[in-house]
């Protein structure tokens, strides 16, 4: 339930990147330079763009935060001023909130390569070659072919399998892989034991019962009125994270939920422009959908179903400017708050969305997920593989077992995951 004055939201220190050897410091000092080099090599940018990339590279290591250029889009520049740009200009990247520094880096990178134009490179996604390479990979072929084997499973088991496919697909993060590679360690995810540190999937299913029943926010089952009744359609808001091999299983899950009548409609929230290397944009949704349709077999069945649902309005794609904000969802604008409030449940995918949902803070791991998300205007769920230090909602025994397990990087290695729900 929403927080009340008698139940103030908990607080914890905001994460900065100023501690050498910490994960946030490594992202700023190592991952961002690696991303700049990757982008520089992926396109035949001319001398002016290459010099600008080199300048940004130097700024990341030794410089300070610069404002957006005067020729930046006026509305976007005003947004970033509201989002903290004027406050943080002139300060070190390492001395401002890590969430803000990461987000602003990608906005600066897009300006540097001319994404916002005018000019030859206007609207050209600098991360597109890496996204397409992943989408067209042998691993994606194998994952789509495996869908044919789900057809003989009982319906509930098939849906659970697709939920876990969406969850563990969150490991398909190009920026995460790039930083591990730059550190010389590799991802190692194939050699790690996958472990759910929290699993509220039953609570999620109670919010999305099969056709014929629905569940109130108090948890009481009742006959469904979503088809022609006064309560409106059962709506899933899915706030996507990565493109490619993560977005594909997200779409498959939406397709299955539609097919089984667990939802009447879905709203897929993606980024309005390229962000965090591999975050999904509307163009990436189209690429993933075409990949499904062309794959044949069960994948094509899902692709055709989604294509039809998009054309008749049961699935819509949203690209709200706040999706690229360097701020927690507690500061979401009123129109987005109203949309989430009207949803049966909002599912936020991935690590960045989790940080924005609970606040990018150094929470004690046993901090209540329910308490830190009490501000959210409706039922909310998080599907996330762990790739940063932020964590809430762990049972004390789970935290103790993880600490005793000897794996120091369980918070950041992508080998553990969670499904958390606040009704």
């Amino acid at each position: 339930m929403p927080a009340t004055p008698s139940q103030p939201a908990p607080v914890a220190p905001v994460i900065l990147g100023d501690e050498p050897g910490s994960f946030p410091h490594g992202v700023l000092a190592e991952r961002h330079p690696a991303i700049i080099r990757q982008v520089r090599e992926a396109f035949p940018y001319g001398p002016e763009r290459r010099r600008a990339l080199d300048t940004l590279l130097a700024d990341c290591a030794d410089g300070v935060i610069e404002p957006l250029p005067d020729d930046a889009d006026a509305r976007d520049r005003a947004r970033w001023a509201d989002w903290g740009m004027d406050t943080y200009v002139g300060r070190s990247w390492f001395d401002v909130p890590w969430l803000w520094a990461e987000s602003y880096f990608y906005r600066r990178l897009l300006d540097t390569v001319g994404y916002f134009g005018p000019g030859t490179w206007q609207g050209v996604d600098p991360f597109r070659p890496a996204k397409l390479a992943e989408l067209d990979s042998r691993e994606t072929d194998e994952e789509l072919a495996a869908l044919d084997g789900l057809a003989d499973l009982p319906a509930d088991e098939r849906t659970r399998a697709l939920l876990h496919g969406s969850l563990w697909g969150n490991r398909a993060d190009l920026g995460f892989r790039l930083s591990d590679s730059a550190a010389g360690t590799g991802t190692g995810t194939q050699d790690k034991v996958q472990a759910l540190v929290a699993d509220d999937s039953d609570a999620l299913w109670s919010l999305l019962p099969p056709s014929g029943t629905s569940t109130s926010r108090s948890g009481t089952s009742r006959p469904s009125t979503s088809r022609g009744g006064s309560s409106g359609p059962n709506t899933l808001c899915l706030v996507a994270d990565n493109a490619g091999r993560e977005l594909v299983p997200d779409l498959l899950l939406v397709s299955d939920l539609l097919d089984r009548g667990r939802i009447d409609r879905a709203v897929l929230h993606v980024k309005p422009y390229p962000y965090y290397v591999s975050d999904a944009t509307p163009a990436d949704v189209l690429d993933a959908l075409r990949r499904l349709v062309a794959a044949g077999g069960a994948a094509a069945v899902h692709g055709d179903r989604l294509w039809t649902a998009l054309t008749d309005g049961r699935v819509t794609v949203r690209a709200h400017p706040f999706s690229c904000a360097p701020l927690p969802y507690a500061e979401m604008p009123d129109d987005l708050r109203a949309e989430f409030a009207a949803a049966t449940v909002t599912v936020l995918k991935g690590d960045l969305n989790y940080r924005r949902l609970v606040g990018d803070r150094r929470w004690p791991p046993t901090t209540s997920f329910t308490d830190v998300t009490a501000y959210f205007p409706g039922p909310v769920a998080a599907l996330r593989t762990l790739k940063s230090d932020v964590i809430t909602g762990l049972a004390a025994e789970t935290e103790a077992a993880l600490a005793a397990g000897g794996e120091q990087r369980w918070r950041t290695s992508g080998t553990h995951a969670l499904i958390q729900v606040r009704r």
Side-chain angles (χ1 to χ4, degrees):
M1 298 295 294
T4 66
S6 62
Q7 297 174 312
V11 295
V14 172
I15 294 177
L16 306 179
D18 60 347
E19 182 183 341
S22 68
F23 184 74
H25 188 279
V27 168
L28 297 175
E30 300 171 15
R31 181 186 296 188
H32 288 179
I35 289 168
I36 294 171
R37 295 186 187 101
Q38 179 196 45
V39 169
R40 195 179 190 276
E41 294 169 2
F43 289 89
Y45 293 120
E48 181 182 355
R49 295 290 174 207
R50 298 176 78 82
R51 283 193 297 269
L53 286 166
D54 290 341
T55 298
L56 181 59
L57 181 62
D59 283 348
C60 286
D62 303 313
V64 297
I65 295 168
E66 301 285 349
L68 293 177
D70 292 336
D71 61 356
D73 177 81
R75 285 180 302 173
D76 194 44
R77 203 176 193 282
R79 282 192 206 103
W80 279 94
D82 290 341
W83 292 344
M85 180 179 69
D86 292 347
T87 300
Y88 297 132
V89 160
R91 295 173 61 178
S92 167
W93 292 90
F94 298 91
D95 294 334
V96 303
W98 180 43
L99 175 63
W100 196 94
E102 274 198 291
S103 299
Y104 190 64
F105 163 78
Y106 287 99
R107 180 60 183 80
R108 281 286 314 279
L109 179 60
L110 291 182
D111 260 328
T112 301
V113 299
Y115 179 85
F116 293 104
T120 304
W121 300 103
Q122 185 179 36
V124 177
D125 184 346
F127 312 124
R128 185 168 173 78
K131 290 176 178 178
L132 290 179
E134 182 191 77
L135 191 60
D136 295 335
S137 68
R138 175 179 54 82
E139 290 83 0
T140 304
D141 289 338
E142 294 171 351
E143 289 161 0
L144 293 179
L147 288 172
D148 294 337
L150 297 182
D152 296 330
L153 294 178
D156 286 349
E157 190 173 341
R158 184 168 61 250
T159 301
R160 283 194 297 271
L162 291 171
L163 175 69
H164 282 263
S166 176
L167 171 66
W168 288 106
N170 183 231
R171 291 180 303 174
D173 180 330
L174 299 175
F176 179 65
R177 246 188 288 168
L178 182 61
S179 66
D180 275 358
S181 176
T185 61
T187 62
T189 54
Q190 298 303 318
D191 301 323
K192 303 290 186 179
V193 176
Q194 298 178 356
L196 274 175
V197 299
D199 184 3
D200 295 340
S201 53
D202 286 345
L204 179 60
W205 298 137
S206 74
L207 290 166
L208 300 172
S211 180
T213 60
S214 63
T215 305
S216 69
R217 291 185 184 182
S218 65
T220 303
S221 294
R222 64 182 189 273
S224 175
T225 57
S226 63
R227 292 152 187 82
S230 60
S231 65
N234 291 333
T235 300
L236 168 69
C237 280
L238 178 61
V239 184
D241 190 32
N242 299 312
R245 286 176 61 210
E246 177 177 357
L247 185 58
V248 165
D250 292 346
L251 293 175
L252 294 172
L253 178 61
V254 169
S255 170
D256 182 80
L257 295 176
L258 284 169
D259 185 51
R260 296 201 59 206
R262 287 182 178 266
I263 59 174
D264 299 301
R265 62 186 298 266
V267 182
L268 181 65
H269 284 258
V270 295
K271 304 300 189 296
Y273 50 76
Y275 196 60
Y276 277 68
V277 183
S278 54
D279 280 25
T281 66
D284 298 317
V285 175
L286 295 177
D287 286 337
L289 186 58
R290 291 189 181 105
R291 184 74 161 89
L292 286 171
V293 171
V301 173
H302 285 286
D304 290 338
R305 181 183 299 133
L306 290 164
W307 191 284
T308 300
L310 280 160
T311 60
D312 65 26
R314 286 176 296 138
V315 175
T316 56
V317 178
R318 285 267 277 146
H320 196 286
F322 192 76
S323 295
C324 289
L327 303 173
Y329 276 102
E331 300 181 39
M332 75 181 85
D334 290 343
D335 63 328
L336 199 56
R337 177 175 292 275
E339 184 169 335
F340 291 153
T344 306
V345 62
T346 298
V347 175
L348 290 96
K349 283 293 308 292
D351 200 79
L352 173 61
N353 283 324
Y354 188 84
R355 291 163 58 193
R356 296 184 68 195
L357 174 65
V358 305
D360 203 34
R361 296 174 176 271
R362 297 191 182 280
W363 300 110
T366 54
T367 301
S368 168
F369 177 77
T370 296
D371 287 349
V372 297
T373 60
Y375 72 88
F376 204 85
V380 63
L383 301 184
R384 172 217 185 189
T385 56
L386 277 56
K387 294 178 287 189
S388 70
D389 291 311
V390 178
I391 186 74
T392 67
L394 294 193
E397 57 269 25
T398 300
E399 181 191 9
L402 289 165
E407 185 185 352
Q408 299 300 313
R409 297 178 62 241
W410 65 268
R411 292 183 186 227
T412 61
S413 63
T415 58
H416 294 75
L418 57 79
I419 301 171
Q420 291 177 323
V421 176
R422 196 225 70 211
R423 297 180 56 89

